Amino acid sequence: MDKNTVLKVDNVSVRFNLTDEKVDSAKEYLIKFLKRELRYKEFWALRNVSFDIKRGQRVGILGLNGAGKSTLLKVIAGVLKATEGKVVTKGRIVPLLELGAGFDKQYTGAENIYLYGAMLGYPKSFLKEKFDEIVEFSELGNFINVPLKNYSSGMKARLGFSIATIVEPDILILDEVLSVGDAKFRKKSEKKIKDMFDKGITVLFVSHSLAQVRSLCDRAVILEKGQVIAQGDSKTVCDLYQEKLNK
Amino acid sequence: MKRLVDNFTKYRFLLVELVKKDIKLKYRSSVLGFLWTMLEPLLTMIVLTIVFENMFERKIPNFPVYVLCGRLLYSYFSNGTKLALKSIRRNSSMIRKVYVPKYMYPLASALSGYITFLISLIVLVVVGIVQDVKPTWYLLQAVFPLATILVMTVGLGFILATLDVFFRDMEYLWGVLLMLIMYMSAIFYDPTNLLATPKGIIIRLNPLYGIITNFRNAIFGEPMNVKYFAYTASLSVIMLVVGVIMFYRKQDKFVLYV
Ligand SMILES: Nc1ncnc2c1ncn2[C@@H]1O[C@H](COP(=O)(O)OP(=O)(O)O)[C@@H](O)[C@H]1O
Ligand SMILES: [Mg+2]
């Protein structure tokens, strides 16, 4: 791998098996197995996707709903394993995929900081040190000691965002998350992400807004039905995507 | 191997957090909270003692201690494996969204159960003192059954958690098996007569019986039954190895099924 390459997606394909009916119980499974009725409908959410990202590049991923963007990011984040091909990464990845996915709703905000932080692989000492900063950024105030089941979804997203972005990542992965919380928090989180951008970190970015991709990214990739149909510099690819949308 | 160690080092704080969470949440909503860890086996012991000493003629000396030994070990085994069995599906929303080494979930379940179990041993100490059971050097041998049951629970936990992802019925099947294991563990009866008959083999084959027997031997100051130890220890190591291999082979598929 080239010294400057921090992320290499190499011929990645992901297959989901869609069963026609859900086979849930052992009895059903056994009967279907014996009758050889276990037919899976194969579905390839990604097909031979390849691209490299070099240090400091900001790459936008474009594509319609169901094109496989989230699936791709999940493979890169390690949540999903590619059926074929592989992903090589260098450095700390912070995936902002679904904010607060590791939260426990019976736990208070404060307890969740440690739990979710641990899931992201941060050590306890580090979380202790950053605790106040996280609470402050999330603007939760006294709500930090209330169980999460009493939070609104905006509050959860704010807490999740504040925890996940407490470290400076080498590679930041964003999946349509530049829209968390209320307008005020949205501004603040956008600013935080822009600051990270300005520091020159590597970014992989999914957004529905072409304008955002144009202004933030220097490269872009178009996914269609799980395949890369175009990649290159952001302006050219965005123009191409615009054209396709207008058709 | 090095990758495995690095990965574990990175996430060991998560293991601590998951164990803490299991323990904390279990008692958070109850009034007596953590006291239940001790109250529950104590009450069960009292009930069993009253029932068995009145309905049957008493044959087992120190019946409360005898019952408590079996009951505490069985409870851990049953709770630990049940928690581990459900651990992957219980955490499905996280598995689908955040990368975490997945073995953390069943492992944390087995460990959190173990910690509450160790704390509940305080009851045994108290009842032992009240019943005037004199500690001897043999007491130290309790570490063997205590280690064996942990290894077995972790190993079975991996096996059951893996199976449960693919067959939802596992939970009920295991519940039935657990009941069988309970009756075959001689928790509240003396199996001496049964062991002399050909049917005794069922009890001998039940690893939990061997573990409980050796634990009782340690408490009552008798030497360890080496045969039972050899059998249960090797069986639990086999279960651990099988469990780890099964889990490792299937873990990438979990996310597609949970
Ligand atoms: N766990 C899953 N099981 C089966 N199909 C899935 C699963 N996750 C995603 N898919 C399918 O894969 C395709 C791509 O989904 P996704 O990556 O979420 O698209 P996007 O984020 O581009 O809208 C969709 O058709 C979706 O239905
Ligand atoms: Mg998506």
Side-chain angles (χ1 to χ4, degrees):
Chain A
M1 201 158 89
D2 183 336
K3 180 159 110 294
N4 275 320
T5 308
V6 288
L7 175 71
K8 188 178 173 65
V9 177
D10 189 8
N11 234 334
V12 164
S13 302
V14 170
R15 183 186 60 211
F16 292 119
N17 289 333
L18 307 173
T19 34
D20 293 336
E21 309 134 74
K22 240 178 150 37
V23 185
D24 259 354
S25 68
K27 191 180 112 203
E28 255 179 81
Y29 188 91
L30 204 68
I31 293 172
K32 297 220 159 164
F33 181 81
L34 292 176
K35 289 182 167 173
R36 296 183 192 282
E37 264 182 12
L38 266 187
R39 261 188 296 269
Y40 291 111
K41 225 174 14 202
E42 288 189 355
F43 172 75
W44 291 89
L46 292 176
R47 272 273 199 204
N48 304 86
V49 173
S50 291
F51 58 86
D52 291 359
I53 299 182
K54 301 222 169 5
R55 192 182 310 281
Q57 279 185 335
R58 301 197 290 263
V59 181
I61 302 199
L62 297 164
L64 301 174
N65 271 333
K69 305 179 297 288
S70 300
T71 306
L72 177 62
L73 295 192
K74 280 183 180 170
V75 172
I76 293 171
V79 177
L80 260 177
K81 175 117 174 155
T83 317
E84 287 164 18
K86 65 175 195 286
V87 173
V88 187
T89 56
K90 261 191 243 166
R92 178 187 281 283
I93 299 186
V94 168
L96 298 187
L97 299 183
E98 298 187 47
L99 291 168
F103 286 160
D104 189 291
K105 47 182 193 314
Q106 299 183 64
Y107 253 23
T108 66
E111 289 170 316
N112 269 304
I113 290 181
Y114 290 104
L115 180 65
Y116 188 43
M119 289 199 161
L120 297 174
Y122 307 156
K124 179 160 196 166
S125 49
F126 175 78
L127 289 169
K128 258 199 184 126
E129 190 188 307
K130 296 282 186 180
F131 186 86
D132 292 334
E133 201 181 310
I134 294 172
V135 176
E136 196 190 309
F137 192 86
S138 69
E139 296 176 5
L140 285 167
N142 286 333
F143 265 96
I144 203 71
N145 294 318
V146 170
L148 228 72
K149 55 180 178 227
N150 302 327
Y151 280 32
S152 69
S153 58
M155 287 162 84
K156 274 185 246 175
R158 261 150 58 188
L159 186 61
F161 183 88
S162 310
I163 300 169
T165 55
I166 201 68
V167 289
E168 245 153 53
D170 300 306
I171 307 174
L172 182 68
I173 300 182
L174 298 164
D175 192 354
E176 302 176 38
V177 284
L178 286 191
S179 50
V180 298
D182 49 29
K184 187 166 148 255
F185 191 80
R186 186 145 62 226
K187 263 214 183 105
K188 202 164 121 181
S189 58
E190 271 178 33
K191 183 172 175 312
K192 184 153 185 179
I193 287 174
K194 284 233 178 69
D195 285 349
M196 287 193 203
F197 279 28
D198 292 342
K199 282 188 187 133
I201 65 165
T202 310
V203 182
L204 197 59
F205 179 47
V206 167
S207 170
H208 274 316
S209 149
L210 251 179
Q212 251 177 356
V213 174
R214 271 182 207 279
S215 73
L216 292 174
C217 301
D218 42 30
R219 267 166 47 89
V221 176
I222 303 179
L223 273 183
E224 192 177 284
K225 297 195 181 122
Q227 283 173 306
V228 175
I229 57 162
Q231 56 176 316
D233 75 276
S234 157
K235 190 175 172 318
T236 325
V237 175
C238 284
D239 289 346
L240 189 73
Y241 190 69
Q242 184 73 57
E243 228 171 88
K244 280 181 70 71
L245 287 183
N246 289 343
K247 247 192 267 171
Chain B
M1 190 63 205
K2 186 180 175 303
R3 234 186 55 226
L4 206 77
V5 174
D6 284 351
N7 204 265
F8 181 77
T9 320
K10 182 176 174 197
Y11 284 100
R12 63 166 183 232
F13 169 47
L14 174 63
L15 186 62
V16 177
E17 278 296 312
L18 289 176
V19 169
K20 261 208 297 210
K21 187 179 85 157
D22 272 351
I23 296 176
K24 267 188 180 172
L25 291 184
K26 189 166 166 205
Y27 299 105
R28 179 158 293 178
S29 48
S30 87
V31 184
L32 291 175
F34 208 70
L35 266 180
W36 269 120
T37 321
M38 282 165 259
L39 222 50
E40 204 236 9
L42 192 66
L43 293 177
T44 321
M45 177 203 81
I46 291 171
V47 171
L48 286 174
T49 306
I50 291 171
V51 170
F52 281 86
E53 291 205 330
N54 289 317
M55 296 206 332
F56 304 86
E57 53 189 298
R58 183 181 178 186
K59 285 190 223 102
I60 304 171
N62 268 323
F63 189 74
V65 178
Y66 182 92
V67 139
L68 204 53
C69 287
R71 154 78 213 187
L72 285 172
L73 284 167
Y74 172 78
S75 294
Y76 166 59
F77 180 73
S78 143
N79 294 337
T81 50
K82 273 197 236 161
L83 264 179
L85 180 146
K86 283 185 264 182
S87 64
I88 296 295
R89 282 208 284 130
R90 194 156 32 96
N91 290 296
S92 62
S93 71
M94 295 173 207
I95 285 170
R96 270 189 268 124
K97 291 165 189 166
V98 202
Y99 168 77
V100 166
K102 291 181 200 51
Y103 65 83
M104 290 286 174
Y105 297 115
L107 188 60
S109 304
L111 288 180
S112 65
Y114 198 65
I115 289 171
T116 20
F117 160 66
L118 290 182
I119 293 169
S120 67
L121 287 179
I122 295 172
V123 182
L124 186 63
V125 174
V126 173
V127 174
I129 291 171
V130 172
Q131 290 279 312
D132 206 22
V133 178
K134 296 270 186 306
T136 64
W137 285 109
Y138 285 119
L139 195 56
L140 297 177
Q141 287 185 348
V143 297
F144 293 108
L146 290 181
T148 312
I149 200 166
L150 176 62
V151 175
M152 186 175 306
T153 306
V154 172
L156 264 174
F158 279 132
I159 296 176
L160 293 167
T162 310
L163 290 175
D164 182 60
V165 173
F166 303 101
F167 308 113
R168 302 290 155 97
D169 294 355
M170 228 26 238
E171 188 183 341
Y172 306 105
L173 262 174
W174 183 239
V176 174
L177 266 172
L178 270 176
M179 193 166 67
L180 188 70
I181 291 174
M182 183 186 80
Y183 286 112
M184 294 297 115
S185 294
I187 293 172
F188 35 76
Y189 61 88
D190 179 358
T192 318
N193 293 338
L194 197 60
L195 284 174
T197 68
K199 280 185 212 146
I201 189 82
I202 312 172
I203 292 183
R204 278 207 190 83
L205 282 178
N206 173 10
L208 210 58
Y209 172 69
I211 292 173
I212 290 175
T213 302
N214 272 332
F215 188 65
R216 279 183 187 139
N217 287 347
I219 302 291
F220 290 125
E222 284 158 38
M224 178 163 81
N225 184 325
V226 181
K227 253 199 227 155
Y228 283 171
F229 173 67
Y231 170 64
T232 54
S234 32
L235 195 64
S236 50
V237 170
I238 291 172
M239 283 177 184
L240 183 64
V241 172
V242 171
V244 168
I245 292 174
M246 249 174 97
F247 193 85
Y248 187 79
R249 285 221 179 134
K250 292 288 177 197
Q251 62 176 354
D252 291 334
K253 291 235 157 39
F254 290 174
V255 67
L256 304 174
Y257 290 86
V258 289

